Amino acid sequence: MAQTDSKVLVLGALAGVTGIGLAVVCYRSLRSERRLSWPGFYHNRTNEQGSGLMLVDGPGLPRGQAEVLERLEALIQCVSELKEEMKALKTALPALPDQVREELKGHSETRRVGAPHRTAATRRRRAAGAVSTAGGQSSEDAESEGGYMTALTDSDEEDQSEEEETAEEQTAEKLSVLFERIDRLRQGDESDKRETLNILLEQKEEFGQSSEFLWRLTRAHCDVHDISVTQEEKKTHAENGKKVGEEAIRVNPRCAESHQWYAIMCGIMAEYDTIQNKIKNGYIFKDHLDKAIELKPQDPLSYYLLGRWCYAVAQLSWIERKVATTLFGEPPSATIEDAMRNFLKVEEIHPAYSKLNYVFLAKCYKALGDNYKARKMCEAASSMNTVSKEDEEAQKELDLLCQKL
């Protein structure tokens, strides 16, 4: 409260008291004039706090007048008490602003401390009130509580979404660790390749919805197929690898590696199928390689495989072309030049990509009559070490080719 407002309040109160005091003076003057004719009154001069008047019943005073005098006596008593209170108020007013500030400061601290508890209590009351909305709540209250419950629902959905994101992040981290281990292990010997396949088969139930996992499993089947000894084991891995490749494409049709390794498995299956299925797999092989190149145009493996396909088609015999025409209406078409362009693309993307790529470049140049370049490719192939089983195959073909050149 401002000090000016306090002064106004005091002045108003004093004015009121002054008015009452004038009324009392008038009353006393009137009473002194009539006291001689009213034998029932006398002045009581005592030291006790009070009006100083005492009423004594007398025979000459009407009862109605006596009641009026009693009320006036009580009024005088109240006025005296009011004067004393006004004196106390005038004394206390100078310190009132400081007291108000201290009290407000105390209330503010109490609100800050109690806010979390009130918030929690409010939430509990709102949650409880939402249940009783149907039992007679007003439409305004129901709408308010409904909005609060909607907010709670949104909060629950956000928490659930955060949990799902956390689970996805954990899965992605597990896959990253697994892929790093698998890719490193695949570079080892035959036992490492078999271990790679076993690890992936054990994890398939957990990660079978990941296309990156599935195409690596397809690749593992291909690796074990190459190192298997018996024809039955080779065919089993070829069939299983092709099925997994189909699954990988179904999970994610936009994954280039899935198309690439599925095409490889189709090429492997041609070794165990009838002529009709061999030609059919040849078409599938080409379609998925084209898709892999479209999705990932800088992968040298896809161009190498496409070069092998073009070279094989260019070498088809007349009878094989006739069979393809009879079964499919149009035989596959490719030339030596097409094959050479793909092998050269491999060298452009990745120089000295593989010993076998140099061998096939030498074959293409020889077929086109350029023995000089063919010998250059043979020299490049000979300079590379023989590491993998594919390198051993390349070295055998290289020895035969060098004899012819």
Side-chain angles (χ1 to χ4, degrees):
M1 182 185 295
Q3 192 170 359
T4 305
D5 294 339
S6 303
K7 290 179 179 178
V8 172
L9 175 62
V10 172
L11 291 175
L14 290 175
V17 171
T18 303
I20 295 173
L22 289 174
V24 172
V25 170
C26 293
Y27 159 71
R28 284 179 173 173
S29 176
L30 178 63
R31 187 185 61 175
S32 64
E33 292 176 0
R34 295 182 180 181
R35 186 165 48 187
L36 295 176
S37 61
W38 290 355
F41 287 92
Y42 71 91
H43 193 69
N44 179 21
R45 298 185 179 277
T46 65
N47 293 330
E48 294 179 5
Q49 200 174 24
S51 63
L53 294 177
M54 182 178 291
L55 178 63
V56 179
D57 290 338
L61 185 64
R63 184 62 184 171
Q65 292 179 357
E67 291 178 357
V68 170
L69 290 174
E70 287 177 358
R71 292 178 181 177
L72 286 173
E73 188 71 22
L75 179 61
I76 292 170
Q77 178 70 25
C78 290
V79 168
S80 299
E81 293 175 357
L82 182 60
K83 285 181 179 180
E84 295 298 326
E85 291 177 0
M86 292 302 298
K87 288 180 181 179
L89 181 62
K90 288 175 65 178
T91 304
L93 276 177
L96 183 61
D98 295 332
Q99 293 177 1
V100 171
R101 280 194 293 269
E102 291 296 326
E103 186 176 355
L104 291 175
K105 183 179 179 181
H107 282 307
S108 177
E109 292 177 354
T110 303
R111 281 197 299 270
R112 284 198 297 270
V113 172
H117 302 287
R118 289 197 300 274
T119 302
T122 302
R123 288 178 178 173
R124 287 195 294 271
R125 287 197 300 272
R126 286 179 176 176
V131 177
S132 61
T133 300
Q137 235 181 356
S138 68
S139 60
E140 232 176 78
D141 292 340
E143 183 177 353
S144 174
E145 300 301 341
Y148 181 74
M149 294 305 293
T150 301
L152 287 178
T153 304
D154 293 341
S155 177
D156 292 341
E157 290 178 354
E158 289 177 1
D159 292 342
Q160 184 178 359
S161 177
E162 289 177 359
E163 290 176 0
E164 290 175 355
E165 289 179 1
T166 302
E168 289 177 0
E169 290 175 358
Q170 291 175 350
T171 300
E173 186 175 354
K174 287 181 181 179
L175 281 172
S176 178
V177 173
L178 177 64
F179 294 160
E180 183 179 353
R181 179 188 178 192
I182 290 300
D183 293 344
R184 183 177 63 252
L185 196 60
R186 181 176 179 260
Q187 304 302 319
D189 55 18
E190 293 185 2
S191 63
D192 291 333
K193 287 181 170 58
R194 291 187 183 276
E195 184 181 355
T196 298
L197 177 61
N198 291 332
I199 292 171
L200 291 171
L201 288 174
E202 290 172 359
Q203 303 290 329
K204 187 175 187 299
E205 184 176 352
E206 183 177 359
F207 302 118
Q209 293 303 311
S210 167
S211 61
E212 291 191 3
F213 176 88
L214 291 172
W215 72 253
R216 281 178 170 84
L217 180 54
T218 307
R219 182 183 67 181
H221 277 294
C222 178
D223 292 340
V224 176
H225 166 273
D226 293 342
I227 63 176
S228 296
V229 178
T230 66
Q231 193 76 356
E232 183 179 356
E233 186 181 6
K234 284 179 173 290
K235 185 177 180 181
T236 299
H237 287 295
E239 290 173 343
N240 292 338
K242 186 179 178 183
K243 289 178 183 177
V244 177
E246 290 173 351
E247 189 177 352
I249 293 172
R250 187 164 57 251
V251 169
N252 183 10
R254 302 294 298 172
C255 179
E257 287 82 1
S258 296
H259 289 281
Q260 184 184 82
W261 285 99
Y262 177 66
I264 292 172
M265 295 311 300
C266 288
I268 291 174
M269 277 300 299
E271 302 177 19
Y272 310 101
D273 273 337
T274 62
I275 294 178
Q276 180 178 348
N277 287 334
K278 284 182 180 180
I279 297 173
K280 180 181 177 181
N281 283 327
Y283 285 108
I284 297 173
F285 181 93
K286 173 67 162 55
D287 290 341
H288 286 279
L289 274 184
D290 288 342
K291 188 67 177 177
I293 290 173
E294 176 189 338
L295 295 170
K296 195 173 182 180
Q298 294 301 309
D299 189 341
L301 177 58
S302 295
Y303 291 101
Y304 168 74
L305 294 171
L306 187 56
R308 291 284 301 265
W309 183 87
C310 292
Y311 186 85
V313 169
Q315 300 297 315
L316 286 177
S317 63
W318 176 84
I319 191 168
E320 288 172 328
R321 292 179 184 277
K322 282 294 182 181
V323 171
T325 303
T326 302
L327 294 174
F328 300 100
E330 183 179 352
S333 175
T335 63
I336 294 296
E337 287 83 355
D338 295 331
M340 189 170 66
R341 275 196 297 270
N342 284 289
F343 292 132
L344 289 173
K345 183 68 174 178
V346 172
E347 285 300 306
E348 177 186 331
I349 297 171
H350 191 304
Y353 177 72
S354 71
K355 182 187 283 283
L356 206 49
N357 192 66
Y358 281 133
V359 169
F360 274 97
L361 274 171
K363 287 183 177 183
C364 290
Y365 281 121
K366 180 180 180 298
L368 295 174
D370 194 339
N371 290 341
Y372 173 76
K373 288 185 178 180
R375 282 192 293 271
K376 285 289 186 183
M377 293 299 104
C378 287
E379 291 172 4
S382 299
S383 66
M384 298 184 69
N385 295 326
T386 301
V387 179
S388 63
K389 196 168 184 178
E390 185 184 73
D391 292 337
E392 294 176 1
E393 177 190 346
Q395 188 61 49
K396 291 177 183 178
E397 295 198 29
L398 181 61
D399 294 339
L400 294 172
L401 187 58
C402 289
Q403 292 176 6
K404 295 178 182 179
L405 289 172

